């Protein structure tokens, strides 16, 4: 039985659509990481706590709010792969270091839209990938698998068509070869499959609700203790 749609749900969905309308108005198809996570958060998908800083003068306040240790990322829709551009710095533990990194990143993205993302550092050894792609024949399809930097090499993913039932979401988790990584292993607590299933269902809803979305890529989704958190995200829109 589906849950009734609340006024808050409608407001959140409208917030997501507004972000997408704004991106189209700017003549873009790719959302920044920050914009992508705002859309995800509107659907109650767990994402990292983060603040986008566009001026060096706002850095200290953002750092105090997020707290150490933190991750800093150059955030612009014009650069999809930040690691190769030296736009990700992890485990920053002092204001002095944060200021130095911020100056370096601001110089690298000069002339581009965006800023520096001040992000909580999620620690966990298990990394997953989730997403949604809009297939010309089957429509929106949800993806789940092993994530991180070896996603393409491992190629351990499962797909299912939207809309996704709770049973189908749980089946997807069991369908990957490495499904035992979700169990309690090597001193790590079992991943919260209820939250994972809820995330997959909400990705399928996004594919149905927002026809403008062509692709959603969440990689990595890190299991911190037992809870999954989206650490990096990319949304791509249809050619408008």
């Amino acid at each position: 039985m589906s849950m009734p749609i609340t006024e808050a749900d409608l407001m959140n969905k409208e917030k997501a659509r507004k972000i997408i309308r704004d991106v189209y108005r700017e003549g873009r198809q790719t959302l920044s990481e920050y914009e992508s996570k705002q859309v995800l958060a509107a659907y109650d998908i767990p994402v990292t706590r983060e603040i986008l800083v566009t001026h060096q003068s706002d850095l200290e306040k953002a750092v105090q709010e997020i707290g150490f240790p933190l991750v800093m990322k150059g955030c612009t829709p014009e650069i999809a792969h930040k690691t190769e551009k030296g736009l990700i710095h992890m485990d920053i533990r002092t204001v002095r270091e944060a200021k130095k990194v911020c100056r370096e990143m601001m110089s690298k993205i000069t002339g581009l839209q965006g800023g520096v993302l001040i992000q909580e550092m999620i620690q966990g050894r298990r990394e997953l990938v989730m997403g949604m792609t809009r297939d010309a024949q089957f429509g929106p399809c949800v993806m789940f698998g092993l994530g991180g930097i070896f996603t393409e090499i491992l190629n351990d993913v499962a797909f299912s068509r939207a809309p996704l039932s709770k049973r189908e979401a749980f089946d997807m988790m069991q369908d990957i070869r490495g499904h035992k990584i979700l169990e309690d292993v090597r001193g790590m607590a079992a991943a919260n499959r209820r939250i994972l299933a809820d995330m997959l269902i909400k990705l399928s809803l996004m594919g149905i609700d927002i026809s403008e979305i062509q692709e959603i890529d969440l990689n990595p989704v890190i299991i911190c203790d037992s809870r999954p958190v989206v650490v990096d995200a990319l949304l791509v829109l249809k050619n408008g």
Side-chain angles (χ1 to χ4, degrees), residues 126-153:
R126 291 171 291 180
E127 298 186 351
L128 304 172
V129 61
M130 293 184 181
M132 189 283 297
T133 186
R134 194 173 299 279
D135 184 83
Q137 180 178 356
F138 298 110
C141 298
V142 180
M143 179 264 289
F144 174 83
L146 298 185
I149 61 174
F150 299 118
T151 301
E152 290 82 5
I153 297 172

Side-chain angles (χ1 to χ4, degrees), residues 18-150:
K18 181 182 183 303
I19 293 169
I20 288 169
R21 287 196 299 269
D22 290 344
V23 170
Y24 269 136
R25 270 197 290 268
E26 293 175 9
R28 294 190 278 126
Q29 287 178 250
T30 302
L31 280 68
S32 70
E33 177 180 344
Y34 181 68
E35 291 167 332
S36 297
K37 286 180 180 172
Q38 285 186 310
V39 174
L40 295 170
Y43 275 76
D44 290 325
I45 293 175
V47 300
T48 46
R49 291 185 303 109
E50 56 194 35
I51 297 172
L52 183 66
V53 169
T54 55
H55 297 94
Q56 183 92 18
S57 58
D58 297 327
L59 177 65
E60 283 197 56
K61 182 179 178 182
V63 166
Q64 289 171 1
E65 186 169 337
I66 298 299
F68 296 111
L70 55 82
V71 175
M72 295 177 65
K73 300 178 179 178
C75 182
T76 169
E78 294 162 273
I79 300 176
H81 301 289
K82 297 180 283 291
T83 303
E84 291 86 342
K85 301 291 184 180
L87 290 175
I88 300 179
H89 285 251
M90 302 180 65
D91 200 19
I92 294 170
R93 295 178 177 267
T94 67
V95 172
R96 181 177 180 180
E97 184 183 4
K99 287 182 177 180
K100 179 176 181 292
V101 171
C102 188
R103 285 194 300 270
E104 292 172 354
M105 288 191 174
M106 288 286 194
S107 67
K108 288 181 179 180
I109 63 173
T110 298
L112 302 179
Q113 182 182 355
V116 176
L117 205 54
I118 311 302
Q119 185 180 101
E120 67 174 325
M121 192 168 86
I122 301 297
Q123 302 189 54
R125 290 182 283 165
R126 291 171 291 180
E127 298 186 351
L128 304 172
V129 61
M130 293 184 181
M132 189 283 297
T133 186
R134 194 173 299 279
D135 184 83
Q137 180 178 356
F138 298 110
C141 298
V142 180
M143 179 264 289
F144 174 83
L146 298 185
I149 61 174
F150 299 118

Side-chain angles (χ1 to χ4, degrees), residues 183-195:
E183 300 173 3
D184 50 346
V185 58
R186 295 184 178 272
M188 296 180 288
N192 190 319
R193 295 190 186 221
R194 180 187 61 78
I195 297 177

